[in-house]
Structures are given as structure tokens and as C-alpha cells.
Amino acid sequence: MTAEPVIDTQGVPTTEPAPVTVRASLSPSRAADFKTCPLLYRFRSIDRLPERPTVEQARGTLVHAVLERLFDLPAAARTPESAGDLVAPQWDRLVTEEPELAALFADGDTAGVEGFLRSAAGLLEGYFAVEDPRRLEPAEREALISAVVDDELLIRGYLDRLDVAPDGALRVVDYKTGGAPREAFEARALFQLKFYALVLWRTRGVVPRVLRLLYLKDAEVCDYAPDAEELVRFERTVVALWRAIEQATARQDFRPRPSRLCDWCSHQALCPTFGGTPPPFPVAAAAPDPLVDARSRPATPGADE
Ligand code: SF4
């Protein structure tokens, strides 16, 4: 594979970053929230309403943790058995770090926890059906990447895995563990991957050769090959999205946009679509810290990110 040429937003080849004054930041999750439903963005990023983790989200976090640790092992040891052996210790670690996860199961519900761990192991079987980790040496895992676009907007997010071929070609890999209907989330997943592709292109001067979604439940691979022109357009989309967020914040006007994704939304009780009333707009949001973009990870309603 060969590296793509580097082209700036005007179509001019460049590798030199311009001096910038960062004024705001945006993660793919939050950008996708606004695209999905402006009110959902408000609830998550401005009101910062808590969302109790679901079993499905916890399973996704656990499987991501196991897959990350799996690549700490020597290549020959990355077997399904080794991955299975990592499940319980990684769950223990996650519960220690995030005690609210323990509340997903009633005290003494050993059978519930065991069933949960088995279901995570089942997703790992899906992983091994589509990839052989003994043949891979990822360049990065769970890496925070960022770039400045439009001279003032910092875009950043965590990618699950980045593979780099000997010729420098990049492959961005994202694990999808959610049980929600895939078609409901595929556009959002692709948006997220293009976001990473844009960051990598802007920071490394290489358009990723492949954006890969690994659907572990279905044991399926979905590959997408972006190109530079598409990423230029995508960059304009991201900047326009940010401007729309700024305008909505200034007007305190975030409208609900009902869709199939409402079924996975934690905030139906406060949503006018479901007869609810949003809380008063937070005063502090009128003068937000522009570099605070709430949580950059996770979450999609009902799906892992
Ligand atoms: S329930 Fe649906 S319309 Fe309401 S905030 Fe959530 S995603 Fe938006």
C-alpha cells in the first residue's frame, strides 16, 4: 500500500501545521450526538446529566479492555483461551476503577455476573472469527488523537486500534459490541471513523487506507476506504456542525429530533417528545470553557463507541 498525498483544505500539498489559536474542541461522540439529536447533545454536553451504565455498555467496555490487553501478550500467545482468561480479571479491574458498574448486578447475584462474563467471552469468539491477532502488531491502542481544523477547532477522540503497514499505510479499527440493530448505528459509526481519519490525515499527512468496523456480535467486517477529497468535505461538515452547536448554545435552543435511536436514550423522561420538560438551561453554559467537550468517550445510546 502507498501513502496518499497530503493536501490542505484549499487542495494545496502541505505538511506544515499553521499557527493556531484553539477556541473550541469537539469529539466524534459529541458531534454525532448533535447530528443525531441536538437535545441529546444538550443533555449530555451542557446539562451533563448522568447516565447510568447499562449492561450492554459495560459489556462493550469489558470487551474493549480485553482486546486492548490481548495485544500486550506475545503474538503467539494471543489465542481465544488467553482472551477468555483476561475477561474476569479485566472485569475486576473495571469494577474497582468504576464502582458504579458493580451496581448493574444485585449483591450476591453470582449467576448474573457469570452470565455477563460468558456473554463477553461470546463476543470475543466473534472477534477471533474475523481476525487472527497473532498476525497483527497494532501501532496504537486506545489512543487519544487530536488535530486542529479551521485554525481554531480542536477535534479529538480515542480510537480503538491503529494498524500501520510497512509502507506507512494506516488502518483504523473500531470494535462494535452493541446488540442494537446495526443499521440504526452504522451511519454514526462511520461518522466516528471519518472523524479519526480526518485527525490522522491532518496530523500525519496520510489518508488512512482503510476504516474498519469489526462487528463482534455478528462476526462481520465492514471496510471503508476514504479519500482526501471526501475528508476535505467532511472537515467542512465538522466545522459547520460546530458552528451550529455554537449558535444553538447562544440561543439556548436545542430541539429534539426523534428517531429510532430514542429507544436507547437515557433522557426520555426530560424530552418533550415523550411529554417531558428539559431542566432550565444552565447559566454556566452561556460562557463555557471552550476546551471542555464533556465526555469524549463513551457513548451512543445503547451502543459502544
Ligand atoms: S428521547 Fe430522542 S428526541 Fe428526546 S432527547 Fe433522546 S434522542 Fe433526542
Side-chain angles (χ1 to χ4, degrees):
M1 292 192 281
T2 55
E4 301 289 338
V6 181
I7 305 171
D8 74 5
T9 48
Q10 282 75 47
V12 179
T14 178
T15 54
E16 294 297 320
V20 293
T21 306
V22 172
R23 194 167 79 74
S25 77
L26 190 62
S27 69
S29 304
R30 300 292 75 83
D33 281 350
F34 189 81
K35 239 168 84 74
T36 301
C37 170
L39 186 58
L40 175 64
Y41 173 91
R42 184 202 139 167
F43 284 153
R44 284 181 159 167
S45 297
I46 294 179
D47 297 281
R48 304 203 185 180
L49 300 178
E51 294 182 12
R52 287 175 64 86
T54 64
V55 169
E56 192 168 74
Q57 287 166 344
R59 187 183 299 116
T61 303
L62 173 58
V63 169
H64 278 76
V66 169
L67 290 175
E68 188 194 355
R69 298 307 186 287
L70 186 66
F71 286 100
D72 286 337
L73 300 175
R78 296 171 197 158
T79 61
E81 295 72 28
S82 301
D85 290 344
L86 287 167
V87 171
Q90 284 303 313
W91 177 243
D92 292 343
R93 179 184 66 78
L94 288 170
V95 168
T96 302
E97 291 174 2
E98 301 172 49
E100 69 269 22
L101 291 175
L104 289 169
F105 302 98
D107 276 350
D109 183 11
T110 312
V113 174
E114 287 175 355
F116 168 76
L117 297 180
R118 272 197 305 278
S119 68
L123 288 176
L124 290 166
E125 286 173 17
Y127 169 73
F128 280 94
V130 292
E131 267 195 353
D132 182 353
R134 294 172 301 180
R135 296 161 55 88
L136 296 166
E137 213 51 73
E140 295 185 35
R141 289 169 275 151
E142 291 289 326
L144 176 62
I145 58 171
S146 63
V148 175
V149 296
D150 200 38
D151 289 345
E152 59 182 14
L153 176 62
L154 180 71
I155 58 173
R156 58 185 173 184
Y158 286 90
L159 49 77
D160 286 345
R161 200 180 87 206
L162 179 67
D163 300 335
V164 182
D167 66 359
L170 306 181
R171 180 171 64 193
V172 181
V173 180
D174 200 60
Y175 308 122
K176 292 295 173 200
T177 60
R182 190 165 118 185
E183 60 276 16
F185 291 99
E186 195 143 271
R188 186 176 165 116
L190 199 53
F191 178 88
Q192 183 184 11
L193 282 181
K194 286 185 188 173
F195 206 98
Y196 298 142
L198 175 59
V199 172
L200 291 167
W201 182 42
R202 285 294 176 219
T203 52
R204 302 185 185 207
V206 179
V207 173
R209 174 60 51 91
V210 175
L211 308 178
R212 171 165 290 182
L213 291 165
L214 292 184
Y215 288 96
L216 305 192
K217 184 165 174 278
D218 302 329
E220 277 185 30
V221 178
C222 176
D223 279 349
Y224 185 81
D227 60 45
E229 288 72 25
E230 179 180 14
L231 292 184
V232 167
R233 289 195 301 275
F234 185 74
E235 182 171 305
R236 288 194 202 111
T237 299
V238 169
V239 171
L241 204 56
W242 174 250
R243 299 225 165 97
I245 291 171
E246 283 190 313
Q247 281 182 4
T249 305
R251 295 178 186 149
Q252 303 186 6
D253 183 9
F254 290 86
R255 299 188 185 176
R257 185 179 297 147
S259 72
R260 289 183 65 194
L261 302 185
C262 293
D263 289 349
W264 289 271
C265 181
S266 304
H267 308 296
Q268 288 184 4
L270 296 172
C271 176
T273 302
F274 293 86
T277 303
F281 200 81
V283 176
D289 179 343
L291 291 181
V292 173
D293 171 34
R295 302 151 301 168
S296 55
R297 183 180 178 86
T300 306
D304 55 284
E305 289 194 32

